[in-house]
Amino acid sequence: DAGVIQSPRHEVTEMGQEVTLRCKPISGHNSLFWYRQTMMRGLELLIYFNNNVPIDDSGMPEDRFSAKMPNASFSTLKIQPSEPRDSAVYFCASSLRGNTIYFGEGSWLTVV
Amino acid sequence: AQSVTQLDSQVPVFEEAPVELRCNYSSSVSVYLFWYVQYPNQGLQLLLKYLSGSTLVESINGFEAEFNKSQTSFHLRKPSVHISDTAEYFCAVMSPQGGSEKLVFGKGTKLTVNP
């Protein structure tokens, strides 16, 4: 299995620009998660989907962040406009509901 | 709401020494517990998990953790560490009641194994 695939792996962007992070979950998994990792706050759940439907988005920081899952094999996390404090590693993860959650390698975002 | 406390942010040890990484959780309902490991510049990998049954769970690379409900702890142990165990270790809790799959993580413990 290819695992959870995220792109881009690294992104450097200027403040104010739109950032789109992409995720392809493991085939057959029906739950998808977006986490953010920073030194100050550790790992935080931003949002998770089950069967493409958002279940818990209480961790989404503010309206600048949005996430979509148009089908079972693709999800995006968008930040518009980006700010320096959004610099972090963003992880996508997936699971077959009730089982182990598998993480991708992460997207390292730097906003300057 | 659940929370996880990892009492040590950094643990340095010598190769072949035993190690214990501490984890305490807070939850008003029954929980599932997990340890994940993160090697530099990589994602998180599941090390071991407790869902139910035996309170002692083991990983394939020699780690073990024991669920202690009375002390709300899930400490991770290894009797003899290797250089390759150097990584960051995260304890996490999930409360499956109501169908939630939300994993709440601790702040992590950086294990450094020195020769």
Side-chain angles (χ1 to χ4, degrees), chain B residues 88-105:
Chain B
E88 190 157 17
Y89 292 78
F90 292 90
C91 183
V93 64
M94 179 193 294
S95 293
Q97 281 74 13
S100 174
E101 292 187 86
K102 182 174 181 177
L103 262 182
V104 175
F105 285 89

Side-chain angles (χ1 to χ4, degrees), chain A residues 5 19 31 33 35 42 45 47 49 55 61 73 77 80-81 86-87 90-91 93 96-97 99 105 109:
Chain A
I5 299 173
V19 173
S31 292
F33 308 80
Y35 279 86
L45 177 67
I47 185 171
F49 298 83
I55 302 299
S73 59
L77 178 68
Q80 166 64 18
D86 302 329
S87 298
Y90 291 83
F91 287 104
L96 183 58
R97 186 174 177 81
N99 288 281
E105 296 285 285
L109 174 65

